[in-house]
Amino acid sequence: MRSRGYWLYLIPSLVLFVGVIVAPFLMNVATSFTRWSGVGTPEWIGFENYDRLLKDERFWASFQHNVALILAMAVVPTLLGLVLAAALFDYIAKKFGPRTASALRAAFYLPQVLPVAIAGVVWGWLLHPSYGAVNEIFGIDVNWLGDPSIALATVMAIMVWFQLGYPVVIFMAGLQRVDPALYEAAEIDGASWWRRFWHITVPQIRPEFFVVLLTCTIAALKVFGPIFVLTRGGPAGATMVPSYFSYLNFFQRVNVGYGSAIATVLALIIVVVTFLFLRVQERET
Amino acid sequence: MRRYSLLAALIVLAFVMLFPFLLVGLNAFKSPAEYSSGGPLALPDGIYLDGIVAFWDRVDFGRKLWNSLLISGCVAVGAVALSVLNAYALGIGRVRGRLWILVVFLVANTLPQEALVYPLYYLAKQVGLYDSRLFVILIFVVIQAAFGTYLLSAVLGRFPAEILEAAAIDGASKWRALWRIVVPISRPTLSVLLIFFFIWTWNEFFLPLVFLISNDNQTVPVALGVLQGDRLMDATMSSASALLGIVPAVVFFLIFQRTLTRGITVGAIK
């Protein structure tokens, strides 16, 4: 009886969601089938933008860079974070006390508290070609972000630095759940650190493992701030990613239809990746 | 010996992670002349504040701080309020089709902002809300509430029904029960959400970059991000700008540390 009338509370959200998310998203999809400069009437051209997209080398290159960034923002931090969390939890905290472990954890985590654009500001200064601190310290003259052959690798390294703390903190929190008796029993049985890692730590934090991998992969697919701040997709498109590519088409090249097609494909990929992850996670746990 | 080698390796790694912060802190307080003669590793001769002051004045940093605080604060409060209304209907009211509604919220939360930006930009221009902080607040209230609804519905789904039944017998309306019973009891979860929404909004870059173009309206990350690599910036001024971006973020982290570390696994669902 009480459950009547509760839907009234959804009305403000309904209005706002339609206005801010549903309608704009549908408009974006519709625009992707047109040629439009942002003023005047959009001209319906069917699948032409998508056709062009499939043949556009810069578009494919931008997705390859995205894969590289998934490696740098999701795969490497997750695997490295797993080993670091296990080392801090099962070794450092026991041999040197929990305070040492949490101090190290805080140091790994600090980059994560920054807005990602500010992380870009920090590294933009450190790697500046004429006065950057890194070149000054090592007495070298490398144009880290301006040389097309190394710019992507540089951005990847910066993103590993930025992301690493997140999996470490999540995994260490997950390990709190594990019954300490499990580790003690394994130790008494003479199981090596590596065996404990593989047979206790990894299976115990499986749920966290999937969540971290999913959230970091989505973040990598969406990455915009560091690219904007550090390279603007350059030099010569060496660090172009889909999100920046769509931004460029929207606001600088006024190819709104083409930009919308890129954004629609990106949205589709992200939704599909999310569902795949959730399916795998359901089966695994 | 082996015992210490792992510790040493981890300390080296921690040092590498902190090194950029140390360099920023060290060089933001130097004069350009000091930087070019002593290099980035030398300790500053004294506290030279001209670089920071010059940068502060140049970008009117006080104004940017206020914009960021205003936007993030309003979004946090608005998004929590909206999440509470939704979660009341979904978690406690258990309205029909709630599973599908939650899926819609979840999808809305994962959509890239690039797929919304142009229509929003066009609409904002039509209704005269382009370059307005109010519009950015409105957008982020909805985006953050999508996540908040998802989380809070699960929490309110476990809310003890007897309390609400007792209130109903005493003649309390649903509206009254929400504000007098559900909200006060859920305060700990709501404060975690409030802090998360504040920090997430503070950290946002893409939509504020598109919508806040005038100097008077820009947020901290946008103002600093746009100026990075600017020709008129020298080494120490760049360092000062990085410092001004780092300090608020670290201050928030220190203030909210306990809530954040408790809630960070909550945030992981995002």
Side-chain angles (χ1 to χ4, degrees):
Chain A
M1 209 172 76
R2 275 194 58 83
S3 63
R4 283 172 174 271
Y6 276 103
W7 60 270
L8 286 169
Y9 290 86
L10 287 173
I11 290 174
S13 262
L14 188 75
V15 175
L16 286 169
F17 260 79
V18 169
V20 173
I21 293 181
V22 180
F25 181 69
L26 294 177
M27 281 166 78
N28 182 78
V29 174
T31 313
S32 74
F33 295 106
T34 67
R35 184 180 294 123
W36 189 34
S37 65
V39 285
T41 320
E43 179 197 346
W44 185 266
I45 54 168
F47 281 92
E48 210 175 286
N49 283 323
Y50 291 93
D51 202 38
R52 180 174 154 202
L53 206 67
L54 293 173
K55 293 183 191 126
D56 190 341
E57 272 173 38
R58 285 167 310 166
F59 173 74
W60 288 106
S62 76
F63 265 103
Q64 277 170 16
H65 302 151
N66 233 337
V67 172
L69 284 167
I70 290 174
L71 199 68
M73 291 177 69
V75 179
V76 171
T78 306
L79 295 179
L80 200 57
L82 191 62
V83 175
L84 287 173
L88 289 176
F89 182 81
D90 186 31
Y91 192 87
I92 300 294
K94 283 175 191 162
K95 299 264 157 69
F96 301 96
R99 289 197 144 196
T100 318
S102 42
L104 286 167
R105 182 184 63 179
F108 298 150
Y109 189 72
L110 196 60
Q112 267 284 300
V113 312
L114 298 182
V116 68
I118 299 298
V121 171
V122 169
W123 282 99
W125 170 65
L126 291 172
L127 300 175
H128 194 278
S130 54
Y131 53 69
V134 170
N135 281 352
E136 299 265 344
I137 290 169
F138 295 102
I140 45 176
D141 188 21
V142 180
N143 196 351
W144 298 98
L145 294 161
D147 179 344
S149 60
I150 56 168
L152 183 62
T154 305
V155 172
M156 287 170 73
I158 293 170
M159 294 321 289
V160 171
W161 172 83
F162 180 73
Q163 286 286 85
L164 184 61
Y166 171 67
V168 172
V169 167
I170 301 275
F171 291 155
M172 282 186 79
L175 286 170
Q176 305 290 336
R177 278 199 324 259
V178 184
D179 184 359
L182 218 57
Y183 279 102
E184 281 160 27
E187 232 167 325
I188 291 164
D189 289 346
S192 66
W193 185 87
W194 181 250
R195 282 183 72 93
R196 294 203 301 273
F197 173 74
W198 202 242
H199 293 286
I200 303 176
T201 307
V202 173
Q204 287 290 335
I205 54 175
R206 243 199 158 86
E208 278 85 0
F209 186 83
F210 278 104
V211 167
V212 167
L213 210 54
L214 171 65
T215 49
C216 292
T217 303
I218 292 177
L221 286 168
K222 287 180 178 175
V223 70
F224 176 87
I227 300 294
F228 179 91
V229 173
L230 289 167
T231 64
R232 311 254 162 139
T239 58
M240 184 62 75
V241 289
S243 69
Y244 192 77
F245 196 36
S246 72
Y247 171 84
L248 212 59
N249 278 293
F250 283 139
F251 298 109
Q252 271 160 35
R253 299 187 184 150
V254 291
N255 274 330
V256 179
Y258 196 47
S260 305
I262 301 164
T264 306
V265 170
L266 184 63
L268 207 65
I269 291 175
I270 290 175
V271 170
V272 168
V273 166
T274 308
F275 273 97
L276 285 180
F277 259 102
L278 293 177
R279 283 299 287 276
V280 173
Q281 191 186 11
E282 244 166 55
R283 210 177 306 156
E284 290 277 334
T285 49
Chain B
M1 210 51 235
R2 240 189 97 206
R3 216 183 117 128
Y4 287 97
S5 60
L6 179 67
L7 182 67
L10 290 175
I11 289 174
V12 169
L13 182 63
F15 184 73
V16 170
M17 297 297 283
L18 295 180
F19 196 54
F21 294 93
L22 296 177
L23 282 173
V24 167
L26 207 56
N27 292 294
F29 298 103
K30 285 181 191 170
S31 69
E34 243 183 299
Y35 184 83
S36 51
S37 64
L41 288 178
L43 287 172
D45 292 338
I47 301 292
Y48 173 88
L49 290 173
D50 290 15
I52 296 174
V53 171
F55 185 79
W56 183 293
D57 290 342
R58 197 175 142 199
V59 301
D60 194 0
F61 194 71
R63 175 93 196 181
K64 314 292 184 212
L65 273 178
W66 166 243
N67 288 337
S68 271
L69 277 172
L70 182 77
I71 292 174
S72 308
C74 291
V75 168
V77 173
V80 167
L82 200 58
S83 307
V84 166
L85 293 180
N86 291 341
Y88 191 46
L90 297 169
I92 289 178
R94 301 190 168 268
V95 296
R96 265 200 211 170
R98 64 179 185 287
L99 214 63
W100 284 108
I101 298 174
L102 279 175
V103 168
V104 170
F105 279 121
L106 202 60
V107 171
N109 196 248
T110 52
L111 279 184
Q113 293 167 358
E114 287 78 4
L116 309 173
V117 69
Y118 203 87
L120 286 172
Y121 167 81
Y122 189 77
L123 291 173
K125 286 208 152 171
Q126 296 293 312
V127 296
L129 280 175
Y130 183 53
D131 198 20
S132 116
R133 289 169 296 183
L134 181 68
F135 192 69
V136 172
I137 290 170
L138 194 72
I139 296 173
F140 280 118
V141 162
V142 179
I143 291 179
Q144 309 287 31
F147 173 75
T149 300
Y150 179 72
L151 182 92
L152 207 54
S153 299
V155 173
L156 291 190
R158 295 190 297 267
F159 197 86
E162 312 85 63
I163 300 179
L164 292 171
E165 277 157 21
I169 290 165
D170 288 347
S173 65
K174 288 192 184 70
W175 182 248
R176 228 180 126 76
L178 172 63
W179 294 108
R180 291 296 164 86
I181 299 169
V182 176
V183 168
I185 291 180
S186 319
R187 267 252 293 276
T189 316
L190 298 185
S191 60
V192 171
L193 273 185
L194 199 72
I195 291 167
F196 267 93
F197 291 163
F198 181 87
I199 290 183
W200 286 341
T201 310
W202 185 282
N203 291 352
E204 281 290 344
F205 185 72
F206 180 67
L207 290 178
L209 173 76
V210 171
F211 287 107
L212 304 173
I213 45 152
S214 73
N215 273 322
D216 284 349
N217 292 331
Q218 276 176 346
T219 62
V220 171
V222 171
L224 300 187
V226 168
L227 273 177
Q228 135 60 27
D230 192 279
R231 269 192 210 93
L232 295 169
M233 306 253 282
D234 56 37
T236 53
M237 203 189 244
S238 296
S239 192
S241 97
L243 184 72
L244 290 178
I246 290 172
V247 168
V250 172
V251 167
F252 294 141
F253 180 68
L254 293 176
I255 296 174
F256 299 134
Q257 201 181 13
R258 289 190 60 199
T259 323
L260 281 175
T261 38
R262 213 178 334 126
I264 203 151
T265 32
V266 169
I269 313 164
K270 191 183 155 95

